[in-house]
Amino acid sequence: MGNYTLYIQLALMFVVIYFFMIRPQQKKAKNEKEFESALKVGDKIITKSGLHGKVSELAATTVVIETMSGKLKMERSAISMEMSAALTKK
């Protein structure tokens, strides 16, 4: 009887870890991929390092951002989904 409760507790622990840690991370990664693929020329964005700019060119994995001091070529993954969404809400 004692062994069964141990296995049930372990199974419940893995279920809790999955729903509170693994699944939200997968959902966040999926949303970031969708955001990256939905970028278009003219979108105002903020990078993860805090640079503000506007998308001027798009390539498969890179993006050219126009800032006040010039143009920068960056990876699409360097664009922050949360900060860019907050910028567009203003």
Side-chain angles (χ1 to χ4, degrees):
M1 184 70 177
N3 288 338
Y4 293 119
T5 58
L6 177 65
Y7 291 130
I8 290 171
Q9 287 175 348
L10 285 173
L12 287 174
M13 185 174 65
F14 285 118
V15 168
V16 167
I17 288 172
Y18 175 77
F19 280 108
F20 286 107
M21 296 180 77
I22 298 170
R23 190 163 182 251
Q25 286 288 28
Q26 290 174 338
K27 190 174 183 180
K28 183 178 178 182
K30 180 183 173 190
N31 287 341
E32 286 182 6
K33 288 285 185 190
E34 289 174 0
F35 172 77
E36 289 174 18
S37 64
L39 283 174
K40 58 188 179 298
V41 174
D43 285 349
K44 292 183 180 179
I45 54 100
I46 302 175
T47 65
K48 292 181 181 176
S49 61
L51 293 171
H52 292 239
K54 187 166 50 169
V55 176
S56 63
E57 296 176 34
L58 290 170
T61 60
T62 60
V63 61
V64 176
I65 301 169
E66 186 177 337
T67 64
M68 292 178 74
S69 62
K71 292 185 177 184
L72 299 168
K73 186 174 186 177
M74 304 183 95
E75 294 292 318
R76 284 184 180 222
S77 61
I79 298 172
S80 172
M81 180 179 70
E82 291 87 11
M83 289 190 262
S84 296
L87 178 69
T88 57
K89 286 183 181 178
K90 291 182 180 179

